[in-house]
Amino acid sequence: MPDYDGRGNPDADAGSWALWIPRVVLAPLYLIHEYVLRRPLGALVTHAERARWADTAVQIFTFGEHNQNVIVPTALYDFGLLPCVGFYYAGDGVFAEGNDLRVHAATWGPKWINVTAADRYAIDNDRRIQARFEFKRSEDNLFFGVGPAVTSETQSRYGLERTEGSLGYRRSLGGASRIDVDAGVHRIAFVEGECCGDPSLDSRVAAGEVMAPPGYRSPYTSAFGHLELTLDQRRPRPEPGGGGYLHLRGAPSVDLGGRRSWLEYGGEVGHAIDLTGHRRTLRMQLALDFVDSITGAPVPFTEYPVAGGERMPGFVPAG
């Protein structure tokens, strides 16, 4: 504190030899942080801004007469899951004006493969149609059990192979509000699954540690419909991001090879506050997910709601 009265500041002036102990102990960490990390990174970022490296990167990854195509490498590493590397391609005006193509492919060898392709055609400013295909094979899926009483003591892994094709229609209702309708078919098959030192679900079931979840190891093909209604007061970018929203959805499914059918439904209601007017938002929401059997036959556990995904981010989705 400044010495306003001229009588000295005993609290600031009084030194203690004991303070030098943490100073000496922490000095190597300080030197590494300051001269190995902070200052070199700061100099690199400053040089990149002055040399306009971002413009160069854009030129590297975009191509086409009007730079309407972009392809970028991707990499994902998440603790407790298999990593992956791949690429993402986005093309506007592909094959016809108003037709956009999006492709993402990533892999970590045969243990993790994901290929997604979506072709979107804008009928006008408010309507669009989409054809989508996805294939995903993953051997690192987490399973803890079924129900609210599960614990991490039964954590295990299983492999899943999913193939899905769908057609969709979107109608804008103004602003961020919209209605989405999709219909398609997906096939679920099970493969061997092990990862990250966890035992496989097969071994835990064989040892009697957990019960096999409904539908496990029984492949199936189902047809589904999907209806979503979004009412949103928030305005599209770059407008401020505050406002309330309501999202409702329902998705009936029918097992094409059996007598099972089920209905998934749920929604979110919430409100976002833009703290600065530049999309630094604080959001609170309530999300609910349900699945009910229509015919009374058990619903495959792979169709169960899980804590995670887009509606409740922050949790790793698990069966």
Side-chain angles (χ1 to χ4, degrees):
M1 293 292 292
D3 184 13
Y4 292 112
D5 56 10
R7 293 183 295 179
N9 191 337
D11 294 336
D13 295 338
S16 173
W17 64 268
L19 291 176
W20 284 99
I21 297 177
R23 288 172 182 170
V24 173
V25 172
L26 297 176
L29 295 178
Y30 168 78
L31 294 174
I32 293 174
H33 172 268
E34 185 71 9
Y35 295 102
V36 179
L37 296 177
R38 191 184 73 83
R39 293 199 179 191
L41 286 176
L44 179 64
V45 171
T46 300
H47 177 73
E49 290 180 345
R50 292 175 176 173
R52 297 185 179 274
W53 285 8
D55 295 342
T56 304
V58 169
Q59 295 174 3
I60 293 174
F61 295 119
T62 60
F63 58 95
E65 184 178 356
H66 302 289
N67 287 332
Q68 73 275 23
N69 299 286
V70 59
I71 183 169
V72 295
T74 63
L76 173 65
Y77 182 85
D78 196 345
F79 291 106
L81 297 173
L82 292 174
C84 67
V85 293
F87 73 91
Y88 173 77
Y89 166 79
D92 296 338
V94 179
F95 308 125
E97 186 67 27
N99 190 78
D100 301 334
L101 181 63
R102 304 289 186 264
V103 178
H104 178 240
T107 184
W108 196 250
K111 292 181 175 294
W112 205 97
I113 303 171
N114 185 213
V115 179
T116 304
D119 189 82
R120 304 166 181 167
Y121 178 73
I123 302 173
D124 52 35
N125 292 333
D126 297 327
R127 297 176 296 165
R128 84 173 191 197
I129 56 175
Q130 172 180 279
R132 185 177 183 276
F133 170 81
E134 179 181 9
F135 172 81
K136 183 175 183 179
R137 176 190 171 94
S138 53
E139 298 185 10
D140 59 345
N141 298 280
L142 280 163
F143 181 83
F144 296 94
V146 177
V150 299
T151 68
S152 58
E153 295 179 358
T154 55
Q155 178 173 318
S156 54
R157 307 281 178 157
Y158 67 97
L160 199 66
E161 191 173 276
R162 177 188 181 96
T163 307
E164 180 175 300
S166 64
L167 294 174
Y169 170 81
R170 171 174 290 185
R171 169 79 186 207
S172 175
L173 303 178
S177 300
R178 64 184 183 271
I179 185 170
D180 292 279
V181 181
D182 299 89
V185 176
H186 69 217
R187 174 170 175 78
I188 301 294
F190 296 92
V191 297
E192 297 295 331
E194 288 185 358
C195 174
C196 316
D198 293 331
S200 67
L201 178 55
D202 290 330
S203 64
R204 284 202 182 275
V205 171
E209 297 173 349
V210 297
M211 294 182 61
Y216 182 59
R217 281 296 184 180
S218 299
Y220 65 93
T221 301
S222 64
F224 64 88
H226 197 185
L227 175 63
E228 293 191 15
L229 173 64
T230 302
L231 302 176
D232 202 325
Q233 294 178 333
R234 295 172 294 179
R235 291 171 287 178
R237 293 179 182 272
E239 297 292 330
Y245 57 93
L246 173 66
H247 183 200
L248 302 173
R249 62 185 170 276
S253 297
V254 177
D255 185 351
L256 299 179
R259 298 180 179 180
R260 299 179 297 183
S261 60
W262 56 89
L263 174 65
E264 300 175 62
Y265 57 99
E268 301 94 45
V269 59
H271 191 85
I273 300 174
D274 196 327
L275 301 176
T276 65
H278 299 284
R279 290 190 171 267
R280 301 296 188 267
T281 58
L282 179 66
R283 187 179 70 175
M284 178 179 292
Q285 73 173 25
L286 173 66
L288 298 174
D289 266 329
F290 302 93
V291 61
D292 290 328
S293 174
I294 298 176
T295 59
V299 178
F301 82 103
T302 48
E303 308 290 342
Y304 286 6
V306 295
E310 297 179 358
R311 292 182 288 278
M312 293 290 286
F315 299 93
V316 177

